[in-house]
Amino acid sequence: DVKVTQSSRYLVKRTGEKVFLECVQDMDHENMFWYRQDPGLGLRLIYFSYDVKMKEKGDIPEGYSVSREKKERFSLILESASTNQTSMYLCASSFPASSTDTQYFGPGTRLTVL
Amino acid sequence: GENVEQHPSTLSVQEGDSAVIKCTYSDSASNYFPWYKQELGKRPQLIIDIRSNVGEKKDQRIAVTLNKTAKHFSLHITETQPEDSAVYFCAASINTGGFKTIFGAGTRLFVKA
């Protein structure tokens, strides 16, 4: 059974703080993703990674960075948190196949920036 | 880049009726179309998917159809039950050595008992 965990379920930070969100998967998946989920906007891709030390920008990378030093761990970093980054953040992982890509999601981190 | 539009945003049906959710995508290179269900307070989970070389796929009460020419794909749920109430997300993926997946905005389905 695939397990994707995220470091916190709820997080409250102040504007300007540096924020780290961590995601760990235990199934040796190559692919890892970070999304933010906002009402009416669905899941928007922030960054993704196909391999260790590799990263690619998604649709909304501004204000975020990522780190993938180990295969099982993908970190999302908010260098200087702002109130418009208040959101639900979801991590996902998948094992690459030639024609399908089932993503397994973590439980989410609800981040509030005051 | 890829854009996925999903309609309706909210859908309310009576138990036992059918529900249909429609999506369109913009990038003709998209070749994989998954659907995820997210129950309240839980994480999204894959319920069905379809590849671009297939026109229709069925799994019990759930079916998905794909029209590549029109860039439309739809989710059909028959004989709806209260436990089908959730938010459903369609997505379109492009395999460029790894999959990049773009999600629709979601449809909140209410099944009234």
Side-chain angles (χ1 to χ4, degrees), chain B residues 2-46:
Chain B
E2 175 67 280
N3 182 49
V4 177
E5 294 195 0
Q6 182 171 347
H7 300 281
S9 56
T10 306
L11 180 60
S12 184
V13 299
Q14 205 65 39
E15 183 178 1
D17 287 351
S18 295
V20 180
I21 302 170
K22 298 182 178 182
C23 291
T24 60
Y25 61 99
S26 60
D27 193 334
S28 56
S30 292
N31 53 13
Y32 172 65
F33 305 90
W35 286 85
Y36 287 82
K37 175 183 180 183
Q38 185 177 29
E39 296 177 10
L40 190 63
K42 296 190 176 179
R43 65 193 79 186
Q45 290 190 301
L46 182 76

Side-chain angles (χ1 to χ4, degrees), chain A residues 25-88:
Chain A
Q25 48 92 7
D26 67 355
M27 283 301 292
D28 204 34
H29 284 173
E30 268 80 13
N31 304 334
M32 296 190 76
F33 309 84
W34 274 106
Y35 297 91
R36 64 177 281 177
Q37 182 174 15
D38 300 288
L41 297 177
L43 300 164
R44 291 183 291 165
L45 182 63
I46 305 172
Y47 269 97
F48 56 105
S49 170
Y50 295 148
D51 203 351
V52 176
K53 297 200 186 288
M54 176 271 176
K55 61 184 179 184
E56 292 232 11
K57 292 180 180 179
D59 292 336
I60 53 165
E62 297 77 21
Y64 304 95
S65 62
V66 290
S67 172
R68 185 131 182 238
E69 296 295 319
K70 293 185 178 181
K71 191 175 187 179
E72 67 271 17
R73 191 180 297 268
F74 192 34
S75 301
L76 180 70
I77 303 153
L78 287 66
E79 294 289 342
S80 178
S82 63
T83 54
N84 62 12
Q85 292 178 310
T86 292
S87 186
M88 171 68 84

Side-chain angles (χ1 to χ4, degrees), chain A residues 37 50 59 98 101 103 105, chain B residues 36 38 43 95 98-99 102:
Chain A
Q37 182 174 15
Y50 295 148
D59 292 336
S98 61
D101 181 55
Q103 294 193 18
F105 284 85
Chain B
Y36 287 82
Q38 185 177 29
R43 65 193 79 186
N95 190 346
F99 280 92
I102 302 300

